[in-house]
Amino acid sequence: MEFAAPEIAGQAIPGQFVMIGLGLPGEPGLFLPRPMSIAQAEGERLGLLIRIFGAGSRRLTALEVGERALLLGPLGSFFDLGSATRVLCVAGGVGLAPFLFLPRWAERHAPGNRVHLVYGERTASAVFDPGRIHELAGVEPEIWTEDGAMGRMGRVTDRLDVARVDLVLGCGPVPMLKTLQAQIAGTGVPAQFSVEERMGCGVGTCVGCVVAVEDGGRGWRYERICVEGPVFSAERLRWSI
Amino acid sequence: MVDLGQTVLGVEFQNPILLASGCCGYGEEYAGLIALDELGGLVTKAVTREPRIGNPPPRVSETPAGMINAIGLANVGLERFRREKLPWLRENLRRAYVLVNVAGWTVEDFVHVVRGLDDAEGFLAYELDASCPNVERGAEFATDEALLGQLVRSVRAATQRPIVVKLSPQVPDIGRFAEICETEGADGVSTINTFPGLLIDVERRRPIIGNVTGGISGPAIRPMGVYATWCAARRVRIPVIGIGGISGAADALEYMLAGAPLVQIGTALFVDPEVVCQTLEGLRAYGERHGVHRLADLVGALEA
């Protein structure tokens, strides 16, 4: 879905998110705003990839042209490409969102990158149109489906080769990210994951969205996904304790 | 011009709108989005004796017309609050007043935090969180008459600053608890804290919240909050601060008519931080529409 949101679109960096809702008084099923990763930012237009999970996302996707939503952003941390030139993006499900934005953004802001996008879904019917992915992201996705009805059969993590990449970026369900984290551990390839959680405020006040991360040498601590995240260095993530 | 000011706790609040504890962090987090110094004031996130990491996630979720939360009093603790958070509040809030929310598990915990902060600058008063539903025994103080009396008495002996006691809705007669606070020397009560609730994911047959149960806030609880405020305000002379589901001027006015000179906005901030400005504008517009020059005249003006 696209929204006219020039201020957000003008500042957005891949990995960041917005809080989107209908404002007050809210509607049944959509009172709190929802965090959504920024999937496109072109000129005044902000693109979000919204998958229907419950009443809130159903209401958001039912918004019609001319209707208004309340957007707050861009929020949170972002993917840091650093000096990487060969970037592997691993997307599970709606975790595709930031990688629809990242390749073209990287072209503009850090030219010389080669981005390879691996994208998996449970079923072929859930796959976001590959032609559209190419159009938006400018890269040809390598698609995996668990039912094998489109692309390669299995999971994105089944045949992952990180030997010739400088940086791995991941966004998707926690089990996928955990597998990815285990595969990358020890290879010396740095990785950054965008993680999600139910949020209240989106700006750090309510401390509602936390994830356990390594705390230097002192064990672990909770950090707020909305402020310290949503993008974390993969090796720091301890998930829940 | 409509005068929104309220003289409460010995000072003149420029308007009746405060931000509720737990919903505005330590102020700083909302500084870019809300003109904090235009407010009547704010109530900080709870401060405990030691830092707390809080409950396992998920900690929040949507509920019908509101939200459930079980943060578990995650906070930086007394020492860091005093060293890192209070100076910011002192520098940046010149007209808006700061109430420091204090939480604990024993009377001694509360007294320790109050003594540890009392000579610091940058705040007006304490709000004692006698009613957090999201930690073990959290609401014990506000549901046990003898314990509540002991808490207020002990904190009263430890400070000259105003004390406001945040009460639980989980009692049969909240007016009685407000009376105890008044008798033991509290300067105000705030009504209400969240209602305990449970949200279940039926597909997984598991609770949605990591802590299993949480506190329900938002518009869903507003009529209960207004009721509790009305019950308490009729029984005590100390001010009652109204909390629960306020999303605009009309909601704030309900609490004021029920007897609250000050109100707190919480959950609605998450939905739209501009709720603060809109509420203030709405209060002025109401005053003009009804020929009310001093908003304070509306406090307790319910005709029932």
Side-chain angles (χ1 to χ4, degrees), chain A residues 23-25 27 29-34 70 72 197-201 203-211 220 222 224 240, chain B residues 22-25 29-30 33 45 53-62 66-67 71 74 208 219 247 267-268 270-272 275:
Chain A
L24 290 164
E27 290 185 14
L30 187 54
F31 174 65
L32 292 176
R34 303 295 199 264
L70 190 62
L72 181 65
E197 181 55 270
R198 290 165 191 262
M199 286 187 187
C201 67
V203 295
T205 68
C206 77
V207 208
C209 59
V210 294
V211 64
W220 64 278
Y222 283 131
R224 297 167 298 184
S240 56
Chain B
C23 299
C24 60
E29 296 89 336
Y30 266 134
L33 290 169
K45 174 109 192 109
I53 57 168
N55 289 331
R59 293 177 169 182
V60 297
S61 186
E62 170 130 356
M67 72 183 281
I71 309 298
I208 284 176
S247 303
T267 305
F270 305 158
V271 180
D272 186 356
V275 64

Side-chain angles (χ1 to χ4, degrees), chain A residues 158-180:
Chain A
D158 284 354
R159 291 276 178 83
L160 211 61
D161 183 8
V162 297
R164 286 180 300 279
V165 299
D166 305 318
L167 177 65
V168 176
L169 306 177
C171 185
V174 170
M176 179 199 100
L177 294 175
K178 281 182 173 172
T179 306
L180 196 54

Side-chain angles (χ1 to χ4, degrees), chain A residues 59-104:
Chain A
R59 176 65 187 93
L60 286 173
T61 53
L63 282 169
E64 288 178 14
V65 173
E67 279 192 275
R68 297 166 74 91
L70 190 62
L71 291 145
L72 181 65
L75 301 168
S77 64
F78 43 81
F79 291 118
D80 180 5
L81 301 181
S83 57
T85 54
R86 296 165 302 178
V87 181
L88 173 64
C89 300
V90 184
V94 75
L96 174 67
F99 303 127
L100 292 175
F101 178 23
L102 184 128
R104 287 240 153 92

Side-chain angles (χ1 to χ4, degrees), chain B residues 137-182:
Chain B
R137 295 178 21 247
E140 203 169 313
F141 286 105
T143 53
D144 180 316
E145 296 185 17
L147 261 179
L148 183 67
Q150 198 195 340
L151 172 69
V152 178
R153 198 159 52 243
S154 303
V155 175
R156 178 72 290 160
T159 180
Q160 300 288 314
R161 289 181 193 261
I163 303 168
V164 174
V165 185
K166 191 167 183 176
L167 295 177
S168 166
Q170 290 288 102
V171 290
D173 178 11
I174 199 165
R176 173 76 196 122
F177 286 81
E179 282 174 353
I180 291 166
C181 293
E182 180 173 53

Side-chain angles (χ1 to χ4, degrees), chain B residues 171-248:
Chain B
V171 290
D173 178 11
I174 199 165
R176 173 76 196 122
F177 286 81
E179 282 174 353
I180 291 166
C181 293
E182 180 173 53
T183 304
E184 298 297 348
D187 303 281
V189 293
S190 42
T191 54
I192 50 176
N193 211 319
T194 54
F195 279 84
L198 173 57
L199 196 61
I200 297 175
D201 177 344
V202 294
E203 295 300 321
R204 294 164 56 238
R205 303 186 192 178
R206 294 181 63 84
I208 284 176
I209 295 296
N211 184 55
V212 182
T213 61
I216 308 291
S217 62
I221 71 164
R222 195 184 71 234
M224 291 86 107
V226 172
Y227 169 72
T229 300
W230 181 69
C231 290
R234 296 201 301 171
R235 299 271 285 275
V236 293
R237 287 175 304 279
I238 54 175
V240 178
I241 303 178
I243 322 171
I246 296 174
S247 303

Side-chain angles (χ1 to χ4, degrees), chain A residues 121-124 143-154:
Chain A
E121 291 281 2
R122 284 229 169 87
T123 62
I143 292 172
W144 289 73
T145 53
E146 288 179 36
D147 64 2
M150 189 189 286
R152 303 170 78 174
M153 183 165 169

Side-chain angles (χ1 to χ4, degrees), chain A residues 103-129:
Chain A
R104 287 240 153 92
W105 186 90
E107 251 172 50
R108 277 205 298 270
H109 294 86
N113 279 287
R114 279 212 314 277
V115 177
H116 183 57
L117 172 60
V118 183
Y119 163 46
E121 291 281 2
R122 284 229 169 87
T123 62
S125 60
V127 173
F128 188 72
D129 176 15

